[in-house]
Amino acid sequence: MAHPPLVSAEWLHRRLAAPDIVVLDGSWYLPTAGRDPEAEYRDAHIPGAIRFDIDAMSDAASLPHMMPRPEVFASRMRALGVGDGMQIVVYDGHGLFSAPRVWWMLRTFGVGDACVLDGGLPAWIAAGHPTEEGKPRLRDRRHFSARLDHGAVADADDVARALETGTAQVVDARSGPRFRGEELEPRPGVRPGHMPGALNLPYAALLSDGHLKPPDALRTVFAENGVDPDRPIVTTCGSGVTAAIVALALETLGRPARALYDGSWSEWGADVARPVATGPVRAAR
């Protein structure tokens, strides 16, 4: 990577006018949050930021937020005026929630110069930097190359093999109650619980006030949840969004995740052929 995966509001403010910098607003919220990312973007966004709609940029034919075909992603990025050679900074309105998913998508499609604004829009505003409203004029169309790293995208069979053989830790970023099956899943037809043998590391444990915790604190969180960053890891969650927060944390530690399970619990929990466990976290192998 040419740059660290996280940048600060001050770092971005100093470089915002650079011709090779493009800022993406990747805000996305759970339906229960009661927030409208499009309306919030129109009300206030980082000057010049382009709206990146995760739903619109995904393949929604079967499951939520699935990766689109490379040619589809490339076409949509070109339409946004994003091209090869640009450094892309992604943020969201929560602080650190959906931006890592956009970062992971970009990286998986071959964009090496992609990073996340630590603390997102709240950190930008708290630092006293300006925002603008409305929709900015899109840049001219640019050539964008998308080369999918197939190894970075796990499917259900990959996860099943990892769980059976122990060749990788499967780390679930959902909350403890959802992981243990104490809460109903928000999507119809999806059973509560978790994959037998998976480990639970709630994404919120990696954050502090909308920022990713510092490296030493991240290592502590991983250890407390039975996860060894030095061993291969496949991340998962409800629909592939917060799993990317775990992937981002691992990247900052210099221990990139092996893969992210794109279908996540939306796929596994709905497939009656896949086993489901409930109750406390099972100890790591």
Side-chain angles (χ1 to χ4, degrees):
M1 286 184 60
H3 297 273
L6 277 176
V7 298
S8 68
E10 289 303 322
W11 183 96
L12 179 59
H13 184 252
R14 291 194 301 269
R15 295 165 175 80
L16 191 59
D20 61 336
I21 291 278
V22 60
V23 181
L24 300 180
D25 180 325
S27 300
W28 178 87
Y29 305 109
L30 291 167
T32 54
R35 297 179 63 172
D36 182 344
E38 295 291 340
E40 291 185 15
Y41 171 82
R42 290 192 296 270
D43 288 343
H45 55 264
I46 293 176
I50 299 169
R51 176 82 181 113
F52 183 105
D53 185 338
I54 288 179
D55 289 327
M57 298 294 282
S58 301
D59 180 1
S62 55
L63 296 163
H65 313 135
M66 296 293 284
M67 290 284 271
R69 298 189 309 276
E71 63 272 18
V72 172
F73 189 78
S75 175
R76 293 172 182 172
M77 292 298 287
R78 286 195 294 268
L80 294 179
V82 182
D84 296 339
M86 291 180 166
Q87 183 175 8
I88 303 174
V89 181
V90 189
Y91 75 89
D92 63 58
H94 195 282
L96 201 67
F97 182 68
S98 56
R101 170 68 189 196
V102 180
W103 164 83
W104 177 80
M105 292 177 73
L106 293 167
R107 291 289 308 281
T108 303
F109 276 122
V111 180
D113 243 357
C115 51
V116 174
L117 176 61
D118 194 19
L121 186 62
W124 177 268
I125 293 173
H129 301 317
T131 61
E132 66 180 9
E133 58 184 26
K135 288 192 174 184
R137 181 177 62 84
L138 293 180
R139 300 175 181 226
D140 294 334
R141 292 177 69 93
R142 299 277 296 272
H143 179 73
F144 185 93
S145 304
R147 298 172 295 276
L148 179 63
D149 178 1
H150 293 277
V153 186
D155 62 21
D157 289 337
D158 295 327
V159 172
R161 280 191 294 270
L163 292 168
E164 180 181 355
T165 63
T167 51
Q169 304 161 96
V170 177
V171 179
D172 191 324
R174 291 178 300 154
S175 69
R178 284 183 66 187
F179 180 87
R180 295 189 294 270
E182 298 166 359
E183 294 180 354
L184 294 177
E185 284 295 305
R187 295 176 178 86
V190 178
R191 297 165 293 171
H194 60 269
M195 305 152 193
L199 300 169
N200 185 212
L201 198 167
Y203 74 89
L206 300 168
L207 307 177
S208 177
D209 296 326
H211 295 260
L212 196 67
K213 290 180 177 178
D216 286 346
L218 291 177
R219 294 187 187 94
T220 298
V221 172
F222 279 107
E224 289 176 344
N225 288 273
V227 180
D228 182 357
D230 292 327
R231 292 186 54 225
I233 291 173
V234 176
T235 66
T236 182
C237 59
S239 63
V241 174
T242 59
I245 298 176
V246 180
L248 179 66
L250 289 166
E251 189 82 21
T252 66
L253 296 178
R255 298 290 187 269
R258 171 181 288 182
L260 185 151
Y261 176 22
D262 209 22
S264 282
W265 194 249
S266 296
E267 178 178 47
W268 189 285
D271 185 350
V272 296
R274 301 289 180 182
V276 171
T278 56
V281 179
R282 180 177 166 183
R285 301 188 182 197

